[in-house]
Every structure is written in structure tokens, then in C-alpha cells.
Amino acid sequence: MTTARLGTARMLPVTLALVAVLVAAGRFAVPAGDARRVYHVVVQLLVAAAAGAVCLWIAGRREDAGRRWRQLAGIGLLGWAAVRLWWLIRAFADPDGMGRLHPGDVGFLVLPVLLGAGLLVGAAALPRPVPLPGRRDLIILVIDCVLIAGSLIAPVWSLVPVRVFEQGGRTPAVFALAVAYPIADLILLVMAVLLLLMRQGGGAIRRQLLLIAAALAAFGVSDTLRLLNLGADGLNTAAAAGYLLGPALLALAALAPGAAVGDLSVAHRERDWLHLLLPYVPVVATGVVIAVRTGTGGRLTTFEAYLGWLGLGLVVARQMFTIVDNLVLLSRVTEGQRRMRHQAYHDPLTGLANRALFRERLDAVLDARSESGRPVALLFADLDDFKLINDSFGHAMGDRLLRAIGERLLGVVPSGDLVARLGGDEFAVVLDHRAADAELIGHRMLAVLREPFQIDGHTIGVGASIGLVQPEPHDRDLTADTLLRRADAAMYAGKRRGKGTMARYSGGADGGPNADLPHQLAQALAGDPAAAGFEVYYQPIVRFTDGATVAVEALARWNDPVAGLVDPDVFVTVAERTGLVGAIDDFVLDRACADAAVLANIFGRPIDVHVNVSAARLCQEGLESAVLGALDRHAVRPSRLVVEITETKRIPDLQRAIEVATRLREAGVRLALDDFGSGYNALAQLHSLPVDIVKLDATLTDVDVSPERAEALCRSVLAICDSLGLTVVAEGIETAPRAQAMAALGCPLGQGYLFGQPVPLGKPVIPSQNRQAAARPV
């Protein structure tokens, strides 16, 4: 592109020099009179034909919007050359008839007509900040060009003496045709200038427009001199130069490089003030001409009167188009605002209200409740195990399922109430018209969600847990956040009792069974977790052969002062959902490292400590520094710490997880894969992650319940781990027969209630009565 641009820039002075040489040769080497005139016509014919051929040749090599105007310009130049040839033949055949109008003379207007069409094609392709319908935009451009050209013609016509135009004895028809040429040039020149000023595209398009404008200026000067026809030989030479320079500059414009006009982006904003001001310039100019003319006692000529009426009519037409454009733009702005508001307040996936609209609506109904006592109810629904659907069928299927869920919820919720998707797999319903039927509507929601979904030939079942909040009349000054937290707490209380249920908030302002769990969890972890009821319990991991404890697993427990003892499955789920699970991991990690010395005293020797870490944390910043910092603060050997990767979620970035795990192992920390066999591509993680220990999920170790299948699975997993050099721990060992069966299969270590429940530090481990039987050698 740069090379082509430099080539075009170098061709311009060469072109100007060649034109100067041709003009000089006619001026000084050819005798004055008919011979010189014939010389100029022949040279103009050849230059125009060559320029037309260049335009068509370049057009044939392009496939963009720039092709059309080059074709039109090439055809116009060839037509102009053909008319020159016709004029030359007439000059020899009928020398005495050159002063009369001939139908062939109209052919000189073919070039400006086709150039005008080419400019309009280019104008339609140039982008605008505010797009308008193509035809109306081009009509406005033509009206503006005629108006501005008229504003320039009016003063010139008034100031130039009439006798200048009457020289030469031309007939009115010949004179009218001679006037049409410069007027057409002026209109096209104004169009090119308007495109430069108000439709500025890229640099390549700007260079093309500049060359076209220069070519039109050259044609205009020559046509004006021809109109004046003062008879001076210098003027004829200058006119001949313009007829040579115009085609040459058009050829250079066609050769100028550049992307397709339609593909250009706007380099500068359109000058709206100029676009509005220019159409009214002819009104002022015409008014000044009329005022000066009539004020000095003169009378307006017929042409001036017609010119004034034409300008006035065009201004009126221009104003009508402006009014229509304003109405169109106003309609578009209104539609755009409506669309933007819909996008701002609605979920793009389901089309339901989003969190912003939900919050706004909830604030409004709470304000109405405080003023008029109007009842309000809030239903908060969380889909059960929706991540399993995403992991099993893919996110695209999950998105389609969410849309189908939204449609079903809209079908059971009254039309006057609001259904919103708050994000992920969470939905909420604000009931202010049918608040009294909130419980009935909630059960309908559960019922429609229990019905299987048929998507792409798959039958997908999904359930939901719903929390219901109906403020009591004495509950004043409630906020949207408070109500949502209560609904969230009620929903988790329902999950605690079993999924697929609806729970009503009944905790009041002081807590209770449906206390505001997410909010209280965040408060507990924001300060000192131990002061907020968090503790670390330890469960032994024993060797099957002799029953010796070889390690302990550190487990978080929470006894909230308000909510009471919270089940670990509940608060861990809440923590993962609210992004607080990392704080729990760090608390357990630090406390376990701090207790390592006490544990060594209790068991009489240093033992390993297992600490759970959420799988997602392997892909996040801070895990390495937390682990190494805890080891350093409490002077614990890295080899004594085992980081268990809990498999409650799929690892989102396995490659990053591998890098983090590798660096931890290089530091001496060992890694364990927890709950192996419970899903989430366990074999893939076993293959990819640099783990040292595999902990079999309880669903794989129930060999005493279904011996044949369970033993076959365990035997296969144990063989794989043995070949990889991994230590295996069997979880869920609750009976002696199960322990003996796992030991018989070759599993070295076990963990479960048979060997002891999780207990706080310092409290003796209470094993099952069958522990000794389980510890017998097999």
C-alpha cells in the first residue's frame, strides 16, 4: 500500500510535466489557427481515450465499491473522446457549420453525467456516523450541491457584464449548451468537496477525492473559458490545458490505491455543523444579490428571478428532507433507547428480568408496602446439581435448558408479577399482585421443574430448591438485600433437609433455623473465623494391617452463634457459591499446621496432616503462598503436609492446575486426589495431575454391599494406582467386613467411622467397637 501510494505521488508531477509539454508544443510548435485547434482536439482525444482505458483496466481488477465509479468514469472519458472525434470529423466535413448546434454536441455532457453517477456511487458506499436511507441521503446530497452551486452562480452572473456572453455571435441554443458545461462541472466539484468535508474516509479515499476534485476544477476552468470565448489565443491555450489535465487526473485517481470504499471506517466525525449550515448559504447569497440589485435601482433579469425561485424551492425541499430525517432519527433514538433499556434490565440468555430490574422492582414494591401495607412475597429458586448437567451435556445444552426453565416459570407465575434470573442457576420471583398465593405458586414452580425436559433428543431432569419469604406486618424498614438474604437462607435450609423442596423463612430478625447463612458466613470469615465458631476437627487415617494411625485429615466445622451447628455440606456449598471457600481452606490449612506439633505429641511421633483444598483454587492466585506461608510460620516439614484436591467441581484450567501442583510437589508437599470415582473426569485428572495419594470415594469401597461389582472396580483402580506408584486410601470404612475386604484386595490404608469420627484437637478418638477386628492381619 505504501509503495503504491508513493508511486501515485511520483506520477503526479510527471503527469503535470507531460501536460505542460503537450500544451507548449501546441503553443510554440504548431501554427495558430485551425492547425492549432486540430492539434489540441487530437491530443485531447488521445489523452481522454488513454485515461478511459486506464479507468476500465483498473476497474476490471477490483471487486469492491471502487470498481463502479472507475467503470463509470472510464465509459464517460471514452464517450468524451468519441465526441471529440465526432467534432474533428465535422470540422473537416462542414467547417462553416461549426457555430451551429448539433445533436452530437450534447455528447459532451455524457462525461459529467457519468462522473456524477460515479460520485453518488462512492457517496453511498462511504460510511456515516448516523446512517440514513440510501436514496434519501443521495437526494439530499444532490440538492445541497445544486444549492451551493447556485449560490456561487448568482453573484458571478450579476457581476459579469452581459456583453461578455454575447461575444461570438452564438445562437441561444449553442450558448445554453456552453453554459451547461461549467454549471455541471461546478455542481460535481461541489459534490466532491462536500464528500471531502463531510464524509471523510481513509487516507486512500481522500487522495482519490482530491484528484477527482482537481480534475473537475480543470474541466470547469476550461469550460468557463470556452463559454467566455474572448478570442484571446492565451485563453484558448489555457482551456486546452484543462481538457488535457482533467482526464489525466481522473486516470491518476483510478490508479490511486485504497481499500473498498464500503469497507472504510470513518477517520473523523462528520462535521454536523457544516452539514446544517451549507444548504442555507444560497438563501443568504441570493438575498444579498436581490437586495443589491434592487437597492441600486436595477431590475432582476429573468435568469436571476428563476435562480432565486429555484434556490427557494430547493431550500424548502431540503428542509422537508431534514424534517423527515429528524423524524427517522428520533424514531431510531427512541427505539435504541427502548432496546438499550431492555438489554440493561433483562437477561440476554433467557429474556427474563435481570438482577438490576429485579432489585428496582423489589425496592418499588417494598416502598409501596411501607406506605399502604400491600403484601409482598419473594421466591428464590436455586437449581439442584445444575453443574452436573453442564459437565455432562456441555454449556450449550445448559443454556438451552435455562431458556426452557425460564419459559416454564413464566407459565406458572401470574403475568403481573416479576420473574428474574439473578445469574447462573438462580431465579427469583417478586409477587406483589398475588402475594397471598405465594406458597401455591412456589409448589407450581417445583412441579413444572420436576417434569423432564426434552432437548435435542435428550431427556433431562432438573430440580430446584426454593426459599419463600413473606414479611410479617410488624417487619418494617425492610430492604431488598435483607429480603433476598432471607429468601437465600430459607432456600439453603430447604437444601439442608433435602433437595427439591420449598422452605419458608421463619427465622425472624434474630436468626433461627432459617438464619441468613450466606451473610453470616461472610461476616464470620471476614474477621477471626475461630471467634465466629469455626473449628478444625481431625479424623484418623489408619493402616489396615495393624490399625496404626499414619495420618489425620483436618476438617472444618462451624458452630455459628446465631444459626447453631451448620452441616459442613451446607456451609461448604454456600462458600463455593459465594466465593468464600478459599478463606475456609486457608483457615484450616493454618490451624492444621499450627496443630502439627500437638498431634505429634498425642500420637508419639510426627504424622502426616491432610488438608482439603477446593479444586478451583489450583487455578487461582494465592494457593502456593498460603501453603508455603503456613509451613514456614509453624516450622512444619513440607513432607508432612498432604493437600487433598476435593473433587466437588471440575478443574476449570487443568494446565494451570498442573503447573501449581508441580511447584507444590517440588517444594516437598504431597498431593492427594480426594473422592476418586465420584465423577468430574477422575481418570483424566489422575493421568494429568502429579498426585501421590488417591482416596477412593465411599461409593467404590462398599464391597460388603455389592461384592462382585465393587471388588472388580476396586481391584482395577488399585492395579492402576500400583502401576503409577500411588498410595491408596479407602474412604467410608464403617464396618469391619468392609475393612477386611479392602485389605484383602491390597488397599493399604483406610478412613471412616470404623476408625474414628472427626473430633477437635485434644479429644480422644472414639473408634468403632469393631476396630480391633478390622485391624487383624489378613
Side-chain angles (χ1 to χ4, degrees), residues 185 189 211-223 242:
D185 296 333
L189 178 60
L211 289 171
I212 292 173
L216 292 170
F219 276 117
V221 170
S222 295
D223 287 335

Side-chain angles (χ1 to χ4, degrees), residues 271-295:
R271 296 180 174 88
D272 291 332
W273 64 269
L274 191 62
H275 183 264
L276 295 174
L277 181 62
L278 281 178
Y280 299 99
V281 170
V283 177
V284 178
T286 304
V288 170
V289 170
I290 292 175
V292 172
R293 191 80 166 177
T294 57

Side-chain angles (χ1 to χ4, degrees), residues 251-313:
L252 287 181
L255 289 169
V261 176
D263 297 335
L264 288 173
S265 60
V266 178
H268 303 283
R269 284 192 171 274
E270 186 177 11
R271 296 180 174 88
D272 291 332
W273 64 269
L274 191 62
H275 183 264
L276 295 174
L277 181 62
L278 281 178
Y280 299 99
V281 170
V283 177
V284 178
T286 304
V288 170
V289 170
I290 292 175
V292 172
R293 191 80 166 177
T294 57
T296 57
R299 298 181 61 183
L300 295 177
T301 65
T302 303
F303 178 79
E304 291 169 340
Y306 279 126
L307 188 63
W309 283 109
L310 175 63
L312 182 60

Side-chain angles (χ1 to χ4, degrees), residues 45-276:
L45 185 156
L46 295 176
V47 171
V54 169
C55 291
L56 292 177
W57 177 66
I58 296 296
R61 300 178 60 186
R62 301 179 68 95
E63 297 294 336
D64 49 36
R67 177 181 184 178
R68 294 290 305 278
W69 78 260
R70 288 175 172 86
Q71 289 177 335
L72 292 171
I75 295 173
L77 286 169
L78 291 178
W80 194 82
V83 175
R84 278 296 186 204
L85 179 61
W86 170 255
W87 188 95
L88 187 63
I89 294 173
R90 285 182 57 213
F92 286 104
D94 185 16
D96 298 332
M98 296 306 297
R100 296 190 301 270
L101 178 65
H102 191 276
D105 295 336
V106 182
F108 284 113
L109 293 175
V110 171
L111 178 59
V113 169
L114 292 180
L115 283 180
L119 286 174
L120 291 177
V121 169
L126 282 173
R128 293 188 59 181
V130 181
L132 294 173
R135 290 185 178 180
R136 185 160 69 247
D137 190 28
L138 296 181
I139 292 173
I140 291 174
L141 177 62
V142 173
I143 291 176
D144 289 345
C145 294
V146 175
L147 279 173
I148 296 172
S151 69
L152 298 175
I153 293 172
V156 171
W157 189 273
S158 176
L159 296 175
V160 175
V162 177
R163 63 179 180 275
V164 172
F165 301 106
E166 295 176 348
Q167 290 184 4
R170 289 170 292 189
T171 65
V174 173
F175 177 72
L177 187 60
V179 170
Y181 298 148
I183 291 178
D185 296 333
L186 179 59
I187 293 175
L188 295 181
L189 178 60
V190 170
M191 186 179 297
V193 173
L194 285 180
L195 293 178
L196 277 170
L197 293 177
M198 299 190 296
R199 306 270 188 97
Q200 291 180 354
I205 299 301
R206 185 173 178 81
R207 284 189 294 275
Q208 292 174 12
L209 285 173
L210 284 171
L211 289 171
I212 292 173
L216 292 170
F219 276 117
V221 170
S222 295
D223 287 335
T224 302
L225 293 176
R226 181 184 177 193
L227 171 66
L228 296 176
N229 193 21
L230 296 179
D233 191 54
L235 288 178
N236 289 333
T237 301
Y243 289 134
L244 293 176
L245 191 58
L249 291 175
L250 287 177
L252 287 181
L255 289 169
V261 176
D263 297 335
L264 288 173
S265 60
V266 178
H268 303 283
R269 284 192 171 274
E270 186 177 11
R271 296 180 174 88
D272 291 332
W273 64 269
L274 191 62
H275 183 264
L276 295 174

Side-chain angles (χ1 to χ4, degrees), residues 311-348:
L312 182 60
L314 290 175
V315 168
V316 172
R318 179 64 172 83
Q319 190 63 25
M320 291 177 62
F321 277 110
T322 301
I323 293 173
V324 173
D325 289 341
N326 290 338
L327 292 175
V328 171
L329 291 176
L330 181 60
S331 175
R332 289 182 178 178
V333 169
T334 303
E335 176 62 21
Q337 290 175 341
R338 187 199 64 78
R339 188 164 50 248
M340 290 178 61
R341 178 177 176 80
H342 185 273
Q343 293 174 353
Y345 284 105
H346 289 81
D347 175 50

